[in-house]
Amino acid sequence: MLEKILAALQPTQTQLVAVSKTKPVAQIMAMYEKGQRHFGENKVQEMVDKYEALPKDICWHLIGHLQTNKVKYIAPFVHLIHSIESDKLLQEVNKRAQQADRIIDGLLQFKIAKEDTKFGMTLEDARKMLDTNEYKSMNHVRIVGVMGMATFTENKIQVQQEFRKLKHIFEELKTSYFADVPHFKEISMGMSDDYEIAIAEGSTMVRIGSLLFGERNY
Ligand SMILES: *Cc1c(COP(=O)(O)O)cnc(C)c1O
């Protein structure tokens, strides 16, 4: 399955984040041995434990809701935080990155789905945040793009429209805030059920779990 997904991502150079949440270290190691280096987790403690147990050249992606009081545990090593969705969280990431003497990359998470359960900002929220002097003075956090999750539905047209919306948000922000900023280039969208649509709509990074590791038992 890894080979099949990588082949689908190859023409557009889309990056694969293998979502290993709930899966044991041995399964991650097996995929590491096939060359995979980017892994995604949604629970801070689980990510810390796996970071400690696994090779240090793994790039760890934090996906899903992140509580401000837990940022400090991942600040020393996290590669990319996909779920920046408030000023408060961004400030905390900046503060903990400074303490760790690092610059941490983050994606702004937008709510593109119709479901109430999905977290994320609106374009207006993001503009407000990016306009503050506080944001402009943050030297330890770097916004490198956007992230979103489509509605969980069989309706492919709806999913496609939601991904288009995220791409549009990306373009808007690029034009107004990041025009001369080459590192603002990532669009994290696409999961096991919709990654092919996401690639067609311009995803630069897909987050795939169950298709790679099998269904999760919680
Ligand atoms: C769990 C999760 C994924 C992966 O989901 P699959 O359907 O198993 O591919 C991707 N993104 C986020 C934010 C997740 O929480």
Side-chain angles (χ1 to χ4, degrees):
M1 190 45 77
L2 177 64
E3 291 74 11
K4 181 186 167 235
I5 294 171
L6 289 176
L9 300 177
Q10 208 276 329
T12 47
Q13 301 282 295
T14 308
Q15 190 179 53
L16 172 64
V17 178
V19 176
S20 47
K21 61 190 187 196
T22 78
K23 298 297 174 184
V25 160
Q27 247 186 304
I28 300 174
M29 200 55 212
M31 205 154 292
Y32 176 92
E33 276 161 4
K34 292 183 186 166
Q36 179 64 26
R37 290 294 179 272
H38 291 260
F39 291 90
E41 292 284 336
N42 68 340
K43 297 265 189 309
V44 163
Q45 188 58 53
E46 190 176 340
M47 188 161 109
V48 170
D49 292 345
K50 288 174 175 173
Y51 164 74
E52 284 168 359
L54 284 157
K56 293 299 171 283
D57 62 339
I58 288 179
C59 297
W60 291 101
H61 294 244
L62 195 288
I63 58 173
H65 185 60
L66 174 60
Q67 284 173 266
T68 41
N69 62 357
K70 298 202 169 152
V71 173
K72 57 178 179 283
Y73 302 114
I74 59 168
F77 69 90
V78 66
H79 175 73
L80 177 62
I81 298 174
H82 289 234
S83 45
I84 305 288
E85 53 194 357
S86 69
D87 295 59
K88 211 175 92 195
L89 182 58
L90 192 65
Q91 281 163 25
E92 181 67 11
V93 172
N94 184 63
K95 175 179 152 190
R96 297 298 179 179
Q98 180 165 22
Q99 287 172 357
D101 198 18
R102 299 185 66 208
I103 293 170
I104 295 180
D105 286 349
L107 303 176
L108 300 180
Q109 182 171 350
F110 289 92
K111 182 171 157 50
I112 52 171
K114 297 217 170 67
E115 296 153 37
D116 283 342
T117 50
K118 303 223 159 121
F119 288 96
M121 299 189 282
T122 63
L123 181 55
E124 201 191 326
D125 298 333
R127 286 187 184 283
K128 268 191 203 142
M129 187 169 90
L130 297 171
D131 284 333
T132 61
N133 289 328
E134 218 160 4
Y135 165 69
K136 290 173 192 155
S137 68
M138 290 180 192
N139 295 320
H140 291 268
V141 66
R142 209 168 65 144
I143 295 174
V144 300
V146 301
M147 180 271 207
M149 288 168 87
T151 305
F152 186 68
T153 170
E154 296 287 308
N155 184 344
K156 293 196 155 76
I157 304 291
Q158 185 183 343
V159 170
Q160 182 187 51
Q161 283 168 348
E162 291 174 358
F163 287 153
R164 274 187 194 169
K165 184 172 169 188
L166 186 62
K167 168 93 185 203
H168 175 76
I169 290 171
F170 171 83
E171 300 292 353
E172 286 284 314
L173 293 177
K174 180 92 192 155
T175 308
S176 4
Y177 296 93
F178 300 98
D180 303 315
V181 184
H183 63 246
F184 187 83
K185 61 180 170 56
E186 305 296 352
I187 306 177
S188 167
M189 61 185 185
M191 307 175 25
S192 291
D193 290 333
D194 56 22
Y195 77 95
E196 284 157 314
I197 305 173
I199 298 169
E201 297 305 324
S203 170
T204 66
M205 206 177 257
V206 292
R207 311 174 310 271
I208 298 183
S210 42
L211 205 56
L212 277 170
F213 291 102
E215 292 300 321
R216 290 177 291 273
N217 318 300
Y218 286 100

